[in-house]
Amino acid sequence: MSRITSLAGRALAAAVVLAATFPAKADQFVNVLTGGTSGVYYPLGVALSNIYGKVPGVKASVQATKASVENLNLLQQGRGEIGFTLGDSLSQAWEGHEEVGFKTKLDKLRAVAAIYPNYIQIVAAADSGIKSLADLKGKRISVGAPKSGTELNARAVFAAAGMSYKDFARVEYLAFAESVDLMKNRQIDATLQSAGLGVASIRDLSNSVPIVVVPIPPEVIAKIGDAAYLPATIPANTYGGQTGDVPTAAVQNYLVTHSDVSEQTGYDLTKALFDNLDQMTAAHVAAKVIKLDAAAATAPVPLHPGAARFYREKGVLK
């Protein structure tokens, strides 16, 4: 054996030992849990997945879901790393409300950021005669996918208005796009959708048939009895044919992860979000209101330690 061959062999052996001592860092998989493809969560989730996919060592994917309730259950099970949810669903998950879809207290949930408010938007066909909540009685309505955040919002609003699903001629439990299809085909009279302003499904509907945006008065919101519901306004011209401001209720949205996600990964996910807000805004106008100084606002669940570290570095959390 030549001296060169011997040296090469020793070098190879040394490399094998080093590789065993310092194994290559495994990729961190990040699955982003969203909602239906015609809602706001999905395009924002796609943008978030694209952002995370550029973080070194991260492999990102996006998953369409039934939104808040399903997302929170999946996070508790470790079947996703970050997901979108409504604030009232988040508090109910933390407390373990079985009647809304949480069989036990979801104690692994951790907040990443408060992002933007969902507006509870009730839209009726203009020729249905519906102009108020009371006018919905005896009508056909879609209230969102079963036990989704939208459907939980529907139950809360109608109960506060002194109504239940029994007051309607027909109730459909459908996602946004399917609800709009039924509206276009005159198979239902109204749809309730909890989403950011300018949601694609309602824009599509308003561009196809004349609509009325039904107001939710402040006094009804007060009767809900949940601090997660706040008075808000859908500004004039948000949708085609909507010529005036319409009062409604809003509920804060959150990005949530779980306690098995490492502190460093939680930090990286939070930092990447705020370093790339322009990409989120390009994906949907709802992201325009995501602000760093409001993101660490009190959530129904504890902040993830990685997110908390990021906010302390930015001076928005002590």
Side-chain angles (χ1 to χ4, degrees):
M1 180 184 296
S2 71
R3 184 171 182 272
I4 293 176
T5 304
S6 176
L7 288 173
R10 290 176 185 175
L12 177 60
V16 170
V17 171
L18 284 171
T21 306
F22 302 103
K25 185 178 178 182
D27 286 325
Q28 169 67 51
F29 290 93
V30 174
N31 187 27
V32 182
L33 305 171
T34 60
T37 56
S38 60
V40 176
Y41 286 174
Y42 188 76
L44 289 182
V46 170
L48 202 56
S49 178
N50 291 335
I51 290 167
Y52 291 157
K54 295 175 184 176
V55 175
V58 170
K59 285 191 174 181
S61 60
V62 63
Q63 181 178 341
T65 68
K66 295 179 182 177
S68 297
V69 175
E70 183 178 8
N71 290 350
L72 296 172
N73 280 313
L74 289 172
L75 288 169
Q76 177 74 15
Q77 297 162 17
R79 294 169 60 190
E81 284 62 52
I82 193 165
F84 292 79
T85 183
L86 279 165
D88 57 334
S89 297
L90 184 56
S91 62
Q92 290 161 343
W94 185 251
E95 295 167 2
H97 286 261
E98 185 171 1
E99 67 276 11
V100 297
F102 305 112
K103 294 182 179 179
T104 61
K105 174 183 168 65
L106 304 193
D107 57 359
K108 290 187 175 183
L109 301 178
R110 298 293 183 269
V112 171
I115 44 176
Y116 67 91
N118 255 26
Y119 290 74
I120 300 174
Q121 300 165 77
I122 304 175
V123 180
D127 60 4
S128 67
I130 298 169
K131 294 182 179 179
S132 68
L133 289 173
D135 293 336
L136 288 166
K137 290 183 177 181
K139 302 295 185 180
R140 303 163 299 172
I141 188 170
S142 178
V143 294
K147 294 186 177 178
S148 63
T150 289
E151 201 256 316
L152 297 182
N153 290 168
R155 289 178 183 271
V157 168
F158 293 139
M163 302 163 63
S164 73
Y165 290 169
K166 293 179 181 179
D167 290 305
F168 304 122
R170 174 180 164 194
V171 178
E172 295 286 352
Y173 300 86
L174 297 171
F176 293 174
E178 290 84 353
S179 300
V180 165
D181 286 343
L182 291 188
M183 289 276 290
K184 290 179 181 178
N185 294 328
R186 300 292 196 269
Q187 293 175 276
I188 59 173
D189 305 298
T191 176
L192 182 148
Q193 303 194 1
S194 183
L197 290 176
V199 61
S201 53
I202 299 180
R203 282 194 287 110
D204 173 38
L205 178 64
S206 69
N207 290 333
S208 303
V209 299
I211 65 166
V212 171
V213 182
V214 180
I216 302 176
E219 57 269 25
V220 170
I221 299 168
K223 289 178 181 178
I224 294 174
D226 186 334
Y229 290 81
L230 302 170
T233 300
I234 302 172
N237 302 311
T238 298
Y239 302 107
Q242 181 210 341
T243 57
D245 293 350
V246 178
T248 192
V251 180
Q252 183 66 48
N253 280 292
Y254 292 87
L255 280 171
V256 181
T257 185
H258 59 81
S259 56
D260 292 335
V261 169
S262 71
E263 178 179 337
Q264 185 59 49
T265 298
Y267 175 90
D268 292 341
L269 297 184
T270 310
K271 183 177 187 301
L273 166 67
F274 286 100
D275 284 350
N276 296 278
L277 282 181
D278 58 330
Q279 294 182 44
M280 297 292 284
T281 301
H284 199 284
V285 67
K288 282 187 175 181
V289 300
I290 301 177
K291 304 294 182 185
L292 177 61
D293 57 1
T298 302
V301 302
L303 264 178
H304 187 276
R309 173 155 66 95
F310 173 78
Y311 293 131
R312 283 194 294 270
E313 285 184 1
K314 292 297 183 179
V316 297
L317 187 68
K318 294 182 180 180

